[in-house]
Amino acid sequence: MRPSVLVIFFSAMLCLSSALAAQSKPPTTKSKPPAAQAKSTVVDAEGHQWWQHAVFYEIYPRSFADSNNDGIGDLPGISSKLDYLKWLGVDAIWITPCYPSPQVDFGYDVSDYENIDPMYGTLSDFDQLESDAQEHGIHIIMDLVVNHTSDQHKWFIDSRSSRTSKHRDWYIWHDGKGPGQPPNNWISVFGGSSWQFDPRTNQYYYHRYYPQQPDLNWRNPAVKDAMFDVSRWWYDRGVAGFRLDAVDTLFEDPELRDNPVLPGTNVYGDPNEENKYTLNLPELHDVLKGLRKIADKYDAVLIGETWTRNLDQLNRYYGQNGDELQMPMDFLFTKVNKLSPSEFRNQIAAVNSASGWPVYVIGNHDIERSYTRYGDSKHNDAIAKVIAGLYLTLRGTPILYYGEEIGIEQNDPQFKKDVKDPIGKLGWPNEKGRDGERTPMQWDDTLNAGFSRTRPWLPVSGNYRTHNVLSEQKDSNSILLFYQQLLSLRHTNEALLDGDYVALNEDDANVMSYLRRYKDKAVLVVLNMSAEPQKAGFNLAPQGFSASAATTLLTTMPELQSSANLSQMTLAPFTVYIGELTRAATQARAENR
Ligand code: GLC
Ligand code: CA
């Protein structure tokens, strides 16, 4: 999805008329879950916890590795790539939904929360993955779709069966305003009215996303209990946390007041709306507190898909007493769509002043690939390294999106007939959907990039012959080896793990630079974000470092391989310099006096 469309995508709404055929799948056998593993909480002198030192990696299971050659990735495929992930420096994988699902929204329409979709494997495959991952020291994070279920979930099947069914009040049902008129003007993020009329009971149900994704009624305590139990069920199976899907959409106005209408229309032709009564209602924070209490019993982490508009909203997600999400994602970072030091500085300053640990986002399965988004078509590889140089040296926990580390490029469908993501069919050509950022992982330069021996469910990106794991592992200048070296540095360097962030040369429009400072050590990061050579000079005495040169840790400039003169650095276009500074003992003593 194009960034310009993102805003509209996540704040607008409508009704998909062409309902996709929903097929329910035979369940795999359930076995008794193994007991939860106790994990140690605090990992360093700063009181940081495991997830604050961890590097997360998002896996879109359909597209990662296909073990049985049916064109769709699967859990045994993920297991087979754990050595690679460990080598790269990944500590936790977030697997997007792999539960049984009719796949209308490719897994985000869940029809059974306590099982695995047969196309991805079985619960035993999951247990195998869990134990293999544990051996590799890699945590598993599941994706919990809390706002809605599939219309094929047994709760909804019962709910729609009659007005008096046991689960009727598990979803949001309402009479229309009049014949053929939905209860109010709320529109769906995926197009059309967010109310779907159900002739069986002559009422409408609410769906923020596709009509096949009815919203749960979180005002009903039974819904809360059932979902909380789901989280316990997976913790007992060994998962280390959840990425909570669309948490800002959990509640709607009980009075069903109309949203204020804004000028213009969205990509689907619906009137723009302010989501006053459909987004970010305060009640959702009680749910997050409840989920967190359970998570704490398991030393687990909660990551949130939190589309916040400002710092206040972001702060609220950490909880007033730090008792909600440990890792609410900062999506404002994804709105910086150009290599702009000043915009990045503003974003970082804002998130750093928030009350919790930063979680910046640069890419995921809903956002155009960062390689293409920031690329200028000429220096894409160098730019990918600049983005890595920024993202992986900031204070906070990074979440890589699979393939970012090799430079997979966006591969939008060229024709409407090729589109798989339903919003791309509905919104074509303004909205091409999210297929472009979900293409198969590129493992080598053979047919289908080594992802599968069959034609994959989405075509492989055009650059797979040059940009793939095997080729890049052999090329010392590759994006992949840069990521690998940077991640290895990040795991061992105290200033990168624990140091504060100090912006430097804030007036420089082309070169972004900062210190990560910890006790007597600091890491200096200098990024030339422009296509021209640039000069930069640093006086770090005010920060407590009087040395005239930095010792190089990692750089894309061969001439600075061992050290860099701080008074004047010459930086080639789109380059990264990362160096270390240590305070001389005498200097430290003098300052302490
Ligand atoms: C989240 C997911 C997105 C999905 C939507 C509805 O935004 O990231 O992929 O379509 O929720 O579940
Ligand atoms: Ca498969």
Side-chain angles (χ1 to χ4, degrees):
M1 183 178 305
R2 303 271 142 200
S4 54
V5 174
L6 260 182
V7 182
I8 303 163
F9 168 62
F10 285 100
S11 60
M13 321 189 182
L14 65 127
C15 184
L16 187 75
S17 47
S18 65
L20 292 173
Q23 310 147 3
S24 43
K25 301 272 157 48
T28 48
T29 346
K30 297 188 187 190
S31 58
K32 197 170 170 282
Q37 301 290 317
K39 303 175 196 95
S40 65
T41 308
V42 170
V43 294
D44 72 6
E46 302 308 305
H48 285 157
Q49 301 182 22
W50 69 267
W51 48 268
Q52 288 176 291
H53 279 196
V55 170
F56 286 65
Y57 185 97
E58 177 189 352
I59 291 181
Y60 198 70
R62 294 182 78 82
S63 300
F64 195 60
D66 178 14
S67 73
N68 63 348
N69 293 301
D70 63 356
I72 295 172
D74 42 57
L75 299 187
I78 299 176
S79 289
S80 73
K81 300 299 182 184
L82 289 168
D83 285 344
Y84 165 72
L85 293 171
K86 190 70 206 165
W87 166 82
L88 177 60
V90 168
D91 308 294
I93 49 176
W94 148 32
I95 307 174
T96 65
C98 51
Y99 316 100
S101 161
Q103 305 288 328
V104 172
D105 194 16
F106 298 108
Y108 282 97
D109 46 325
V110 179
S111 55
D112 179 358
Y113 287 89
E114 296 177 354
N115 214 331
I116 297 295
D117 194 295
M119 80 171 64
Y120 298 127
T122 61
L123 272 176
S124 326
D125 291 328
F126 179 84
D127 293 339
Q128 187 63 49
L129 172 61
E130 174 65 55
S131 84
D132 292 349
Q134 239 177 53
E135 260 170 42
H136 285 78
I138 293 176
H139 297 287
I140 294 184
I141 305 293
M142 291 296 265
D143 202 320
L144 195 57
V145 186
V146 277
N147 174 66
H148 46 270
T149 68
S150 159
D151 63 350
Q152 300 303 306
H153 195 291
K154 61 181 184 209
W155 300 336
F156 189 72
I157 292 175
D158 179 56
S159 183
R160 75 179 344 174
S161 67
S162 91
R163 289 198 187 195
T164 54
S165 70
K166 179 176 169 226
H167 294 91
R168 183 64 173 183
D169 199 26
W170 283 44
Y171 295 84
I172 301 164
W173 291 97
H174 213 272
D175 292 332
K177 259 189 187 158
Q181 284 181 294
N184 62 21
N185 76 347
W186 297 350
I187 52 168
S188 156
V189 179
F190 288 161
S193 166
S194 57
W195 294 99
Q196 176 78 13
F197 184 68
D198 199 19
R200 257 165 281 196
T201 54
N202 276 319
Q203 278 195 319
Y204 287 82
Y205 66 85
Y206 177 72
H207 58 91
R208 180 164 173 85
Y209 298 92
Y210 293 119
Q212 297 91 334
Q213 294 170 299
D215 273 48
L216 284 161
N217 174 16
W218 277 88
R219 296 185 192 278
N220 181 347
V223 166
K224 198 172 78 176
D225 292 347
M227 273 302 183
F228 285 13
D229 280 349
V230 168
S231 83
R232 288 188 192 96
W233 193 88
W234 285 102
Y235 291 138
D236 286 336
R237 261 203 135 78
V239 313
F242 289 100
R243 176 264 190 189
L244 302 174
D245 184 59
V247 288
D248 49 351
T249 67
L250 281 187
F251 286 87
E252 298 74 32
D253 180 31
E255 292 172 41
L256 305 189
R257 281 169 282 191
D258 275 348
N259 272 330
V261 177
L262 301 172
T265 52
N266 65 21
V267 278
Y268 309 106
D270 300 317
N272 288 324
E273 270 183 10
E274 183 198 334
N275 285 283
K276 186 169 174 185
Y277 296 116
T278 42
L279 264 193
N280 265 314
L281 268 64
E283 294 91 323
L284 71 88
H285 294 284
D286 295 330
V287 172
L288 297 182
K289 284 194 184 79
L291 284 167
R292 175 63 183 275
K293 269 203 189 119
I294 302 169
D296 281 348
K297 293 207 178 102
Y298 292 87
D299 193 18
V301 67
L302 296 178
I303 307 171
E305 190 201 12
T306 43
W307 287 87
T308 56
R309 259 170 302 165
N310 52 47
L311 194 59
D312 272 358
Q313 277 185 0
L314 183 63
N315 272 330
R316 284 287 279 128
Y317 279 114
Y318 290 105
Q320 269 149 358
N321 304 307
D323 52 0
E324 295 185 30
L325 302 176
Q326 294 104 317
M327 292 176 55
M329 298 187 199
D330 171 46
F331 283 98
L332 289 169
F333 210 71
T334 65
K335 305 268 162 73
V336 184
N337 282 316
K338 50 183 186 298
L339 288 172
S340 160
S342 69
E343 284 187 41
F344 280 124
R345 280 183 204 115
N346 290 341
Q347 261 309 301
I348 294 162
V351 175
N352 265 326
S353 66
S355 54
W357 186 249
V359 183
Y360 302 99
V361 178
I362 49 168
N364 72 21
H365 63 284
D366 298 323
I367 303 171
E368 186 183 18
R369 284 262 175 203
S370 61
Y371 183 81
T372 306
R373 210 162 84 233
Y374 293 105
D376 66 354
S377 309
K378 271 198 205 145
H379 309 89
N380 283 12
D381 285 13
I383 292 173
K385 291 179 199 167
V386 170
I387 289 293
L390 170 69
Y391 191 58
L392 300 177
T393 59
L394 290 177
R395 181 177 158 268
T397 298
I399 306 179
L400 306 180
Y401 181 48
Y402 83 94
E404 203 165 271
E405 75 276 20
I406 51 171
I408 293 191
E409 64 186 357
Q410 184 75 7
N411 190 27
D412 282 330
Q414 286 186 5
F415 306 102
K416 187 177 173 184
K417 67 171 176 48
D418 298 330
V419 176
K420 296 276 189 312
D421 187 12
I423 54 168
K425 290 186 191 140
L426 187 70
W428 190 269
N430 298 330
E431 169 58 72
K432 293 186 170 154
R434 297 162 291 178
D435 296 353
E437 54 260 30
R438 297 173 174 180
T439 59
M441 180 65 178
Q442 298 165 190
W443 294 106
D444 58 39
D445 64 1
T446 63
L447 185 70
N448 305 324
F451 163 76
S452 176
R453 270 183 261 132
T454 318
R455 209 167 95 127
W457 77 287
L458 282 177
V460 175
S461 256
N463 69 353
Y464 81 94
R465 281 194 189 80
T466 47
H467 292 70
N468 62 69
V469 171
L470 198 64
S471 309
E472 292 192 44
Q473 278 180 327
K474 293 184 206 147
D475 171 5
S476 60
N477 278 323
S478 67
I479 304 174
L480 180 60
L481 286 194
F482 188 73
Y483 265 82
Q484 193 269 336
Q485 288 161 12
L486 191 44
L487 289 178
S488 138
L489 193 60
R490 206 194 142 87
H491 279 107
T492 47
N493 187 293
E494 282 184 311
L496 289 180
L497 287 170
D498 293 332
D500 57 4
Y501 163 93
V502 186
L504 301 171
N505 299 2
E506 290 188 75
D507 293 332
D508 195 318
N510 299 301
V511 180
M512 168 138 189
S513 44
Y514 47 90
L515 283 185
R516 295 290 313 283
R517 199 178 49 177
Y518 186 71
K519 296 185 177 162
D520 286 344
K521 283 188 183 153
V523 166
L524 169 69
V525 180
V526 187
L527 308 160
N528 181 1
M529 294 193 163
S530 77
E532 309 297 326
Q534 302 289 343
K535 291 202 185 313
F538 301 96
N539 169 17
L540 301 175
Q543 277 80 33
F545 298 91
S546 55
S548 59
T551 309
T552 304
L553 294 169
L554 185 64
T555 182
T556 58
M557 278 172 298
E559 56 278 26
L560 299 181
Q561 218 140 63
S562 56
S563 68
N565 182 348
L566 293 179
S567 61
Q568 198 183 89
M569 250 189 219
T570 304
L571 301 147
F574 301 118
T575 41
V576 178
Y577 178 81
I578 303 170
E580 190 166 38
L581 299 154
T582 312
R583 277 207 276 190
T586 47
Q587 186 192 344
R589 268 201 305 278
E591 277 165 22
N592 288 339
R593 237 174 256 147

